[in-house]
Amino acid sequence: MPPPTIPGAIIRAARREIGLSQEEVAAKMRKAGANWSAITVSDIERHNGRRALLADEVRSLAAILGIEAWGLLAEKPEGREPRWGRRKQKAVDGEV
């Protein structure tokens, strides 16, 4: 069974909401240990998540975007609303 994919539109909306460029997201992901470039971020966003993400990438990306990891999933857990519009209290700058 292939790994689940992350919808690119959710990532793009959350990234834009906090004012990060694709390069800034990629730089923060590299700091977290992922081999990402702005092209990686673009591919994920543009192709609506056809590039599968590893669990560590999902956790890091969620922390960078200031959202809960489940908020990046295509399917939300039962009874929960997407929270990418409501930020976690954790600082985004410099922390992953």
Side-chain angles (χ1 to χ4, degrees):
M1 178 181 222
T5 59
I6 305 295
I10 293 171
I11 294 168
R12 181 175 41 254
R15 176 182 62 77
R16 287 179 174 172
E17 185 176 300
I18 60 172
L20 290 178
S21 69
Q22 291 176 337
E23 180 53 47
E24 289 169 322
V25 170
K28 289 176 181 287
M29 286 298 289
R30 286 192 300 274
K31 186 176 177 182
N35 186 21
W36 280 33
S37 69
I39 293 170
T40 307
V41 179
S42 175
D43 284 347
I44 291 167
E45 291 179 354
R46 192 167 30 111
H47 296 297
N48 202 26
R50 283 192 299 187
R51 181 206 182 269
L53 298 177
L54 302 173
D56 287 344
E57 291 176 324
V58 171
R59 284 190 292 272
S60 295
L61 185 57
I64 288 164
L65 297 175
I67 61 178
E68 295 177 357
W70 71 264
L72 295 174
L73 303 175
E75 304 271 333
K76 66 180 174 111
E78 192 64 35
R80 307 235 9 217
E81 293 301 317
R83 295 179 55 149
W84 58 264
R86 296 188 344 217
R87 299 279 147 241
K88 290 178 3 184
Q89 295 301 314
K90 194 175 200 178
V92 174
D93 278 344
E95 288 191 36
V96 176

PDB file of all heavy atoms in Angstrom, residues 44-80:
ATOM      1  N   ILE A  44       5.342  19.725  -4.372  1.00  0.00           N
ATOM      2  CA  ILE A  44       4.328  19.242  -3.431  1.00  0.00           C
ATOM      3  C   ILE A  44       3.056  20.078  -3.546  1.00  0.00           C
ATOM      4  O   ILE A  44       1.951  19.546  -3.610  1.00  0.00           O
ATOM      5  CB  ILE A  44       4.877  19.267  -1.994  1.00  0.00           C
ATOM      6  CG1 ILE A  44       5.968  18.198  -1.848  1.00  0.00           C
ATOM      7  CG2 ILE A  44       3.767  19.042  -0.969  1.00  0.00           C
ATOM      8  CD1 ILE A  44       6.786  18.339  -0.587  1.00  0.00           C
ATOM      9  N   GLU A  45       3.214  21.393  -3.616  1.00  0.00           N
ATOM     10  CA  GLU A  45       2.049  22.269  -3.707  1.00  0.00           C
ATOM     11  C   GLU A  45       1.349  22.172  -5.059  1.00  0.00           C
ATOM     12  O   GLU A  45       0.136  22.045  -5.130  1.00  0.00           O
ATOM     13  CB  GLU A  45       2.472  23.721  -3.477  1.00  0.00           C
ATOM     14  CG  GLU A  45       2.908  24.013  -2.068  1.00  0.00           C
ATOM     15  CD  GLU A  45       3.337  25.442  -1.842  1.00  0.00           C
ATOM     16  OE1 GLU A  45       3.410  26.222  -2.817  1.00  0.00           O
ATOM     17  OE2 GLU A  45       3.587  25.784  -0.689  1.00  0.00           O
ATOM     18  N   ARG A  46       2.112  22.221  -6.100  1.00  0.00           N
ATOM     19  CA  ARG A  46       1.549  22.283  -7.457  1.00  0.00           C
ATOM     20  C   ARG A  46       0.890  20.980  -7.868  1.00  0.00           C
ATOM     21  O   ARG A  46      -0.128  20.979  -8.557  1.00  0.00           O
ATOM     22  CB  ARG A  46       2.667  22.629  -8.436  1.00  0.00           C
ATOM     23  CG  ARG A  46       2.232  23.000  -9.813  1.00  0.00           C
ATOM     24  CD  ARG A  46       3.373  23.608 -10.592  1.00  0.00           C
ATOM     25  NE  ARG A  46       4.673  23.117 -10.196  1.00  0.00           N
ATOM     26  CZ  ARG A  46       5.445  22.346 -10.943  1.00  0.00           C
ATOM     27  NH1 ARG A  46       5.059  21.984 -12.125  1.00  0.00           N
ATOM     28  NH2 ARG A  46       6.621  21.957 -10.501  1.00  0.00           N
ATOM     29  N   HIS A  47       1.456  19.887  -7.466  1.00  0.00           N
ATOM     30  CA  HIS A  47       0.920  18.587  -7.881  1.00  0.00           C
ATOM     31  C   HIS A  47      -0.039  18.016  -6.847  1.00  0.00           C
ATOM     32  O   HIS A  47      -0.312  16.835  -6.842  1.00  0.00           O
ATOM     33  CB  HIS A  47       2.059  17.609  -8.172  1.00  0.00           C
ATOM     34  CG  HIS A  47       2.902  18.042  -9.318  1.00  0.00           C
ATOM     35  ND1 HIS A  47       2.406  18.160 -10.590  1.00  0.00           N
ATOM     36  CD2 HIS A  47       4.193  18.420  -9.377  1.00  0.00           C
ATOM     37  CE1 HIS A  47       3.370  18.575 -11.395  1.00  0.00           C
ATOM     38  NE2 HIS A  47       4.464  18.745 -10.679  1.00  0.00           N
ATOM     39  N   ASN A  48      -0.524  18.899  -5.967  1.00  0.00           N
ATOM     40  CA  ASN A  48      -1.526  18.527  -4.975  1.00  0.00           C
ATOM     41  C   ASN A  48      -1.144  17.304  -4.169  1.00  0.00           C
ATOM     42  O   ASN A  48      -1.937  16.411  -3.924  1.00  0.00           O
ATOM     43  CB  ASN A  48      -2.898  18.343  -5.615  1.00  0.00           C
ATOM     44  CG  ASN A  48      -3.993  18.496  -4.570  1.00  0.00           C
ATOM     45  OD1 ASN A  48      -3.807  19.157  -3.566  1.00  0.00           O
ATOM     46  ND2 ASN A  48      -5.122  17.877  -4.816  1.00  0.00           N
ATOM     47  N   GLY A  49       0.122  17.253  -3.766  1.00  0.00           N
ATOM     48  CA  GLY A  49       0.544  16.215  -2.848  1.00  0.00           C
ATOM     49  C   GLY A  49       0.863  14.879  -3.461  1.00  0.00           C
ATOM     50  O   GLY A  49       0.874  13.877  -2.767  1.00  0.00           O
ATOM     51  N   ARG A  50       1.144  14.833  -4.758  1.00  0.00           N
ATOM     52  CA  ARG A  50       1.479  13.538  -5.354  1.00  0.00           C
ATOM     53  C   ARG A  50       2.817  13.024  -4.843  1.00  0.00           C
ATOM     54  O   ARG A  50       3.100  11.851  -4.967  1.00  0.00           O
ATOM     55  CB  ARG A  50       1.493  13.614  -6.877  1.00  0.00           C
ATOM     56  CG  ARG A  50       0.087  13.622  -7.431  1.00  0.00           C
ATOM     57  CD  ARG A  50       0.094  13.404  -8.896  1.00  0.00           C
ATOM     58  NE  ARG A  50       0.835  14.473  -9.554  1.00  0.00           N
ATOM     59  CZ  ARG A  50       0.898  14.632 -10.854  1.00  0.00           C
ATOM     60  NH1 ARG A  50       0.281  13.792 -11.640  1.00  0.00           N
ATOM     61  NH2 ARG A  50       1.569  15.624 -11.379  1.00  0.00           N
ATOM     62  N   ARG A  51       3.658  13.902  -4.305  1.00  0.00           N
ATOM     63  CA  ARG A  51       4.911  13.448  -3.698  1.00  0.00           C
ATOM     64  C   ARG A  51       4.577  13.066  -2.262  1.00  0.00           C
ATOM     65  O   ARG A  51       4.158  13.881  -1.458  1.00  0.00           O
ATOM     66  CB  ARG A  51       5.960  14.549  -3.708  1.00  0.00           C
ATOM     67  CG  ARG A  51       7.287  14.091  -3.104  1.00  0.00           C
ATOM     68  CD  ARG A  51       8.036  15.297  -2.558  1.00  0.00           C
ATOM     69  NE  ARG A  51       9.320  14.981  -2.001  1.00  0.00           N
ATOM     70  CZ  ARG A  51       9.510  14.676  -0.723  1.00  0.00           C
ATOM     71  NH1 ARG A  51       8.501  14.587   0.117  1.00  0.00           N
ATOM     72  NH2 ARG A  51      10.730  14.457  -0.273  1.00  0.00           N
ATOM     73  N   ALA A  52       4.735  11.790  -1.950  1.00  0.00           N
ATOM     74  CA  ALA A  52       4.436  11.319  -0.602  1.00  0.00           C
ATOM     75  C   ALA A  52       5.478  11.867   0.370  1.00  0.00           C
ATOM     76  O   ALA A  52       6.640  12.029   0.025  1.00  0.00           O
ATOM     77  CB  ALA A  52       4.433   9.795  -0.570  1.00  0.00           C
ATOM     78  N   LEU A  53       5.039  12.172   1.575  1.00  0.00           N
ATOM     79  CA  LEU A  53       5.933  12.672   2.604  1.00  0.00           C
ATOM     80  C   LEU A  53       6.130  11.611   3.679  1.00  0.00           C
ATOM     81  O   LEU A  53       5.210  10.870   4.016  1.00  0.00           O
ATOM     82  CB  LEU A  53       5.344  13.933   3.247  1.00  0.00           C
ATOM     83  CG  LEU A  53       5.136  15.124   2.325  1.00  0.00           C
ATOM     84  CD1 LEU A  53       4.481  16.255   3.089  1.00  0.00           C
ATOM     85  CD2 LEU A  53       6.452  15.575   1.741  1.00  0.00           C
ATOM     86  N   LEU A  54       7.331  11.579   4.210  1.00  0.00           N
ATOM     87  CA  LEU A  54       7.630  10.695   5.330  1.00  0.00           C
ATOM     88  C   LEU A  54       7.024  11.280   6.601  1.00  0.00           C
ATOM     89  O   LEU A  54       6.781  12.487   6.686  1.00  0.00           O
ATOM     90  CB  LEU A  54       9.141  10.557   5.494  1.00  0.00           C
ATOM     91  CG  LEU A  54       9.904  10.024   4.285  1.00  0.00           C
ATOM     92  CD1 LEU A  54      11.402  10.111   4.522  1.00  0.00           C
ATOM     93  CD2 LEU A  54       9.480   8.595   3.993  1.00  0.00           C
ATOM     94  N   ALA A  55       6.801  10.442   7.587  1.00  0.00           N
ATOM     95  CA  ALA A  55       6.211  10.907   8.848  1.00  0.00           C
ATOM     96  C   ALA A  55       7.043  12.017   9.470  1.00  0.00           C
ATOM     97  O   ALA A  55       6.491  13.006   9.973  1.00  0.00           O
ATOM     98  CB  ALA A  55       6.063   9.741   9.817  1.00  0.00           C
ATOM     99  N   ASP A  56       8.368  11.900   9.438  1.00  0.00           N
ATOM    100  CA  ASP A  56       9.229  12.953   9.989  1.00  0.00           C
ATOM    101  C   ASP A  56       9.054  14.264   9.233  1.00  0.00           C
ATOM    102  O   ASP A  56       9.093  15.338   9.824  1.00  0.00           O
ATOM    103  CB  ASP A  56      10.700  12.543   9.950  1.00  0.00           C
ATOM    104  CG  ASP A  56      11.040  11.485  10.989  1.00  0.00           C
ATOM    105  OD1 ASP A  56      10.239  11.290  11.929  1.00  0.00           O
ATOM    106  OD2 ASP A  56      12.105  10.861  10.859  1.00  0.00           O
ATOM    107  N   GLU A  57       8.869  14.185   7.921  1.00  0.00           N
ATOM    108  CA  GLU A  57       8.652  15.389   7.118  1.00  0.00           C
ATOM    109  C   GLU A  57       7.327  16.049   7.481  1.00  0.00           C
ATOM    110  O   GLU A  57       7.242  17.269   7.569  1.00  0.00           O
ATOM    111  CB  GLU A  57       8.687  15.063   5.630  1.00  0.00           C
ATOM    112  CG  GLU A  57      10.055  14.676   5.121  1.00  0.00           C
ATOM    113  CD  GLU A  57      10.044  14.271   3.652  1.00  0.00           C
ATOM    114  OE1 GLU A  57       9.070  13.642   3.198  1.00  0.00           O
ATOM    115  OE2 GLU A  57      11.024  14.597   2.966  1.00  0.00           O
ATOM    116  N   VAL A  58       6.304  15.240   7.693  1.00  0.00           N
ATOM    117  CA  VAL A  58       4.991  15.783   8.068  1.00  0.00           C
ATOM    118  C   VAL A  58       5.102  16.514   9.397  1.00  0.00           C
ATOM    119  O   VAL A  58       4.617  17.638   9.548  1.00  0.00           O
ATOM    120  CB  VAL A  58       3.916  14.672   8.140  1.00  0.00           C
ATOM    121  CG1 VAL A  58       2.621  15.204   8.737  1.00  0.00           C
ATOM    122  CG2 VAL A  58       3.671  14.077   6.764  1.00  0.00           C
ATOM    123  N   ARG A  59       5.771  15.893  10.373  1.00  0.00           N
ATOM    124  CA  ARG A  59       5.925  16.529  11.688  1.00  0.00           C
ATOM    125  C   ARG A  59       6.702  17.839  11.574  1.00  0.00           C
ATOM    126  O   ARG A  59       6.315  18.852  12.158  1.00  0.00           O
ATOM    127  CB  ARG A  59       6.606  15.572  12.666  1.00  0.00           C
ATOM    128  CG  ARG A  59       5.695  14.475  13.177  1.00  0.00           C
ATOM    129  CD  ARG A  59       6.337  13.701  14.309  1.00  0.00           C
ATOM    130  NE  ARG A  59       7.475  12.907  13.873  1.00  0.00           N
ATOM    131  CZ  ARG A  59       7.399  11.660  13.419  1.00  0.00           C
ATOM    132  NH1 ARG A  59       6.223  11.076  13.352  1.00  0.00           N
ATOM    133  NH2 ARG A  59       8.464  11.013  13.050  1.00  0.00           N
ATOM    134  N   SER A  60       7.805  17.820  10.835  1.00  0.00           N
ATOM    135  CA  SER A  60       8.621  19.029  10.681  1.00  0.00           C
ATOM    136  C   SER A  60       7.854  20.123   9.945  1.00  0.00           C
ATOM    137  O   SER A  60       7.873  21.294  10.351  1.00  0.00           O
ATOM    138  CB  SER A  60       9.915  18.710   9.929  1.00  0.00           C
ATOM    139  OG  SER A  60      10.720  17.837  10.678  1.00  0.00           O
ATOM    140  N   LEU A  61       7.198  19.745   8.861  1.00  0.00           N
ATOM    141  CA  LEU A  61       6.448  20.719   8.076  1.00  0.00           C
ATOM    142  C   LEU A  61       5.319  21.335   8.902  1.00  0.00           C
ATOM    143  O   LEU A  61       5.099  22.548   8.870  1.00  0.00           O
ATOM    144  CB  LEU A  61       5.906  20.071   6.803  1.00  0.00           C
ATOM    145  CG  LEU A  61       5.204  20.993   5.813  1.00  0.00           C
ATOM    146  CD1 LEU A  61       6.116  22.130   5.364  1.00  0.00           C
ATOM    147  CD2 LEU A  61       4.730  20.191   4.607  1.00  0.00           C
ATOM    148  N   ALA A  62       4.627  20.515   9.663  1.00  0.00           N
ATOM    149  CA  ALA A  62       3.551  21.027  10.517  1.00  0.00           C
ATOM    150  C   ALA A  62       4.106  22.017  11.539  1.00  0.00           C
ATOM    151  O   ALA A  62       3.510  23.077  11.761  1.00  0.00           O
ATOM    152  CB  ALA A  62       2.836  19.874  11.216  1.00  0.00           C
ATOM    153  N   ALA A  63       5.241  21.704  12.138  1.00  0.00           N
ATOM    154  CA  ALA A  63       5.856  22.613  13.116  1.00  0.00           C
ATOM    155  C   ALA A  63       6.258  23.926  12.458  1.00  0.00           C
ATOM    156  O   ALA A  63       6.043  25.006  13.018  1.00  0.00           O
ATOM    157  CB  ALA A  63       7.068  21.944  13.765  1.00  0.00           C
ATOM    158  N   ILE A  64       6.816  23.852  11.259  1.00  0.00           N
ATOM    159  CA  ILE A  64       7.221  25.054  10.527  1.00  0.00           C
ATOM    160  C   ILE A  64       6.011  25.922  10.211  1.00  0.00           C
ATOM    161  O   ILE A  64       6.061  27.150  10.339  1.00  0.00           O
ATOM    162  CB  ILE A  64       7.981  24.667   9.239  1.00  0.00           C
ATOM    163  CG1 ILE A  64       9.358  24.124   9.599  1.00  0.00           C
ATOM    164  CG2 ILE A  64       8.087  25.850   8.275  1.00  0.00           C
ATOM    165  CD1 ILE A  64      10.035  23.361   8.471  1.00  0.00           C
ATOM    166  N   LEU A  65       4.926  25.291   9.810  1.00  0.00           N
ATOM    167  CA  LEU A  65       3.717  26.028   9.441  1.00  0.00           C
ATOM    168  C   LEU A  65       2.890  26.419  10.665  1.00  0.00           C
ATOM    169  O   LEU A  65       1.923  27.156  10.542  1.00  0.00           O
ATOM    170  CB  LEU A  65       2.873  25.200   8.469  1.00  0.00           C
ATOM    171  CG  LEU A  65       3.541  24.889   7.130  1.00  0.00           C
ATOM    172  CD1 LEU A  65       2.658  23.963   6.301  1.00  0.00           C
ATOM    173  CD2 LEU A  65       3.872  26.162   6.362  1.00  0.00           C
ATOM    174  N   GLY A  66       3.278  25.899  11.842  1.00  0.00           N
ATOM    175  CA  GLY A  66       2.575  26.245  13.072  1.00  0.00           C
ATOM    176  C   GLY A  66       1.224  25.593  13.204  1.00  0.00           C
ATOM    177  O   GLY A  66       0.308  26.173  13.786  1.00  0.00           O
ATOM    178  N   ILE A  67       1.091  24.394  12.662  1.00  0.00           N
ATOM    179  CA  ILE A  67      -0.189  23.686  12.708  1.00  0.00           C
ATOM    180  C   ILE A  67       0.022  22.280  13.243  1.00  0.00           C
ATOM    181  O   ILE A  67       1.147  21.811  13.362  1.00  0.00           O
ATOM    182  CB  ILE A  67      -0.865  23.622  11.319  1.00  0.00           C
ATOM    183  CG1 ILE A  67       0.013  22.882  10.323  1.00  0.00           C
ATOM    184  CG2 ILE A  67      -1.188  25.019  10.814  1.00  0.00           C
ATOM    185  CD1 ILE A  67      -0.597  22.732   8.962  1.00  0.00           C
ATOM    186  N   GLU A  68      -1.056  21.613  13.574  1.00  0.00           N
ATOM    187  CA  GLU A  68      -0.974  20.222  14.004  1.00  0.00           C
ATOM    188  C   GLU A  68      -0.766  19.346  12.773  1.00  0.00           C
ATOM    189  O   GLU A  68      -1.309  19.627  11.699  1.00  0.00           O
ATOM    190  CB  GLU A  68      -2.242  19.821  14.738  1.00  0.00           C
ATOM    191  CG  GLU A  68      -2.417  20.591  16.033  1.00  0.00           C
ATOM    192  CD  GLU A  68      -3.714  20.258  16.736  1.00  0.00           C
ATOM    193  OE1 GLU A  68      -4.527  19.473  16.203  1.00  0.00           O
ATOM    194  OE2 GLU A  68      -3.911  20.794  17.834  1.00  0.00           O
ATOM    195  N   ALA A  69       0.006  18.278  12.927  1.00  0.00           N
ATOM    196  CA  ALA A  69       0.324  17.410  11.793  1.00  0.00           C
ATOM    197  C   ALA A  69      -0.926  16.861  11.123  1.00  0.00           C
ATOM    198  O   ALA A  69      -1.001  16.798   9.899  1.00  0.00           O
ATOM    199  CB  ALA A  69       1.241  16.276  12.236  1.00  0.00           C
ATOM    200  N   TRP A  70      -1.940  16.493  11.901  1.00  0.00           N
ATOM    201  CA  TRP A  70      -3.147  15.926  11.281  1.00  0.00           C
ATOM    202  C   TRP A  70      -3.841  16.952  10.393  1.00  0.00           C
ATOM    203  O   TRP A  70      -4.586  16.595   9.487  1.00  0.00           O
ATOM    204  CB  TRP A  70      -4.115  15.344  12.312  1.00  0.00           C
ATOM    205  CG  TRP A  70      -4.817  16.354  13.155  1.00  0.00           C
ATOM    206  CD1 TRP A  70      -4.446  16.773  14.395  1.00  0.00           C
ATOM    207  CD2 TRP A  70      -5.997  17.077  12.819  1.00  0.00           C
ATOM    208  NE1 TRP A  70      -5.325  17.721  14.847  1.00  0.00           N
ATOM    209  CE2 TRP A  70      -6.289  17.931  13.899  1.00  0.00           C
ATOM    210  CE3 TRP A  70      -6.841  17.105  11.711  1.00  0.00           C
ATOM    211  CZ2 TRP A  70      -7.381  18.789  13.914  1.00  0.00           C
ATOM    212  CZ3 TRP A  70      -7.918  17.960  11.726  1.00  0.00           C
ATOM    213  CH2 TRP A  70      -8.192  18.788  12.815  1.00  0.00           C
ATOM    214  N   GLY A  71      -3.579  18.246  10.624  1.00  0.00           N
ATOM    215  CA  GLY A  71      -4.182  19.290   9.807  1.00  0.00           C
ATOM    216  C   GLY A  71      -3.689  19.286   8.366  1.00  0.00           C
ATOM    217  O   GLY A  71      -4.285  19.913   7.500  1.00  0.00           O
ATOM    218  N   LEU A  72      -2.576  18.587   8.111  1.00  0.00           N
ATOM    219  CA  LEU A  72      -2.054  18.477   6.750  1.00  0.00           C
ATOM    220  C   LEU A  72      -2.630  17.289   5.999  1.00  0.00           C
ATOM    221  O   LEU A  72      -2.379  17.130   4.811  1.00  0.00           O
ATOM    222  CB  LEU A  72      -0.525  18.343   6.780  1.00  0.00           C
ATOM    223  CG  LEU A  72       0.237  19.546   7.303  1.00  0.00           C
ATOM    224  CD1 LEU A  72       1.716  19.220   7.405  1.00  0.00           C
ATOM    225  CD2 LEU A  72       0.025  20.745   6.404  1.00  0.00           C
ATOM    226  N   LEU A  73      -3.362  16.449   6.683  1.00  0.00           N
ATOM    227  CA  LEU A  73      -3.882  15.238   6.049  1.00  0.00           C
ATOM    228  C   LEU A  73      -5.114  15.532   5.218  1.00  0.00           C
ATOM    229  O   LEU A  73      -5.898  16.430   5.515  1.00  0.00           O
ATOM    230  CB  LEU A  73      -4.214  14.192   7.111  1.00  0.00           C
ATOM    231  CG  LEU A  73      -3.055  13.794   8.016  1.00  0.00           C
ATOM    232  CD1 LEU A  73      -3.547  12.846   9.094  1.00  0.00           C
ATOM    233  CD2 LEU A  73      -1.928  13.175   7.220  1.00  0.00           C
ATOM    234  N   ALA A  74      -5.288  14.760   4.179  1.00  0.00           N
ATOM    235  CA  ALA A  74      -6.446  14.915   3.301  1.00  0.00           C
ATOM    236  C   ALA A  74      -7.733  14.617   4.062  1.00  0.00           C
ATOM    237  O   ALA A  74      -8.746  15.258   3.855  1.00  0.00           O
ATOM    238  CB  ALA A  74      -6.321  13.999   2.091  1.00  0.00           C
ATOM    239  N   GLU A  75      -7.682  13.640   4.937  1.00  0.00           N
ATOM    240  CA  GLU A  75      -8.857  13.242   5.704  1.00  0.00           C
ATOM    241  C   GLU A  75      -8.669  13.720   7.132  1.00  0.00           C
ATOM    242  O   GLU A  75      -7.681  13.404   7.766  1.00  0.00           O
ATOM    243  CB  GLU A  75      -9.006  11.719   5.703  1.00  0.00           C
ATOM    244  CG  GLU A  75      -9.068  11.115   4.324  1.00  0.00           C
ATOM    245  CD  GLU A  75     -10.476  11.047   3.799  1.00  0.00           C
ATOM    246  OE1 GLU A  75     -11.396  10.975   4.609  1.00  0.00           O
ATOM    247  OE2 GLU A  75     -10.634  11.067   2.583  1.00  0.00           O
ATOM    248  N   LYS A  76      -9.637  14.459   7.662  1.00  0.00           N
ATOM    249  CA  LYS A  76      -9.511  14.919   9.036  1.00  0.00           C
ATOM    250  C   LYS A  76     -10.035  13.838   9.983  1.00  0.00           C
ATOM    251  O   LYS A  76     -10.940  13.074   9.638  1.00  0.00           O
ATOM    252  CB  LYS A  76     -10.266  16.223   9.251  1.00  0.00           C
ATOM    253  CG  LYS A  76     -11.765  16.111   9.112  1.00  0.00           C
ATOM    254  CD  LYS A  76     -12.413  17.460   9.351  1.00  0.00           C
ATOM    255  CE  LYS A  76     -13.883  17.361   9.073  1.00  0.00           C
ATOM    256  NZ  LYS A  76     -14.731  17.472  10.189  1.00  0.00           N
ATOM    257  N   PRO A  77      -9.469  13.764  11.182  1.00  0.00           N
ATOM    258  CA  PRO A  77      -9.992  12.811  12.161  1.00  0.00           C
ATOM    259  C   PRO A  77     -11.451  13.117  12.466  1.00  0.00           C
ATOM    260  O   PRO A  77     -11.874  14.265  12.426  1.00  0.00           O
ATOM    261  CB  PRO A  77      -9.108  13.050  13.391  1.00  0.00           C
ATOM    262  CG  PRO A  77      -7.873  13.683  12.866  1.00  0.00           C
ATOM    263  CD  PRO A  77      -8.309  14.475  11.663  1.00  0.00           C
ATOM    264  N   GLU A  78     -12.185  12.104  12.763  1.00  0.00           N
ATOM    265  CA  GLU A  78     -13.608  12.239  13.043  1.00  0.00           C
ATOM    266  C   GLU A  78     -13.859  13.271  14.141  1.00  0.00           C
ATOM    267  O   GLU A  78     -13.212  13.261  15.179  1.00  0.00           O
ATOM    268  CB  GLU A  78     -14.180  10.883  13.485  1.00  0.00           C
ATOM    269  CG  GLU A  78     -15.684  10.827  13.533  1.00  0.00           C
ATOM    270  CD  GLU A  78     -16.323  11.017  12.168  1.00  0.00           C
ATOM    271  OE1 GLU A  78     -15.758  10.566  11.162  1.00  0.00           O
ATOM    272  OE2 GLU A  78     -17.402  11.627  12.126  1.00  0.00           O
ATOM    273  N   GLY A  79     -14.774  14.190  13.867  1.00  0.00           N
ATOM    274  CA  GLY A  79     -15.158  15.174  14.855  1.00  0.00           C
ATOM    275  C   GLY A  79     -14.207  16.349  15.019  1.00  0.00           C
ATOM    276  O   GLY A  79     -14.388  17.161  15.902  1.00  0.00           O
ATOM    277  N   ARG A  80     -13.187  16.453  14.173  1.00  0.00           N
ATOM    278  CA  ARG A  80     -12.223  17.553  14.299  1.00  0.00           C
ATOM    279  C   ARG A  80     -12.295  18.426  13.064  1.00  0.00           C
ATOM    280  O   ARG A  80     -12.507  17.945  11.966  1.00  0.00           O
ATOM    281  CB  ARG A  80     -10.804  17.011  14.454  1.00  0.00           C
ATOM    282  CG  ARG A  80     -10.712  16.009  15.570  1.00  0.00           C
ATOM    283  CD  ARG A  80      -9.757  16.160  16.655  1.00  0.00           C
ATOM    284  NE  ARG A  80      -8.964  17.299  16.876  1.00  0.00           N
ATOM    285  CZ  ARG A  80      -7.729  17.233  17.317  1.00  0.00           C
ATOM    286  NH1 ARG A  80      -7.162  16.067  17.506  1.00  0.00           N
ATOM    287  NH2 ARG A  80      -7.061  18.312  17.572  1.00  0.00           N
TER     288      ARG A  80
END
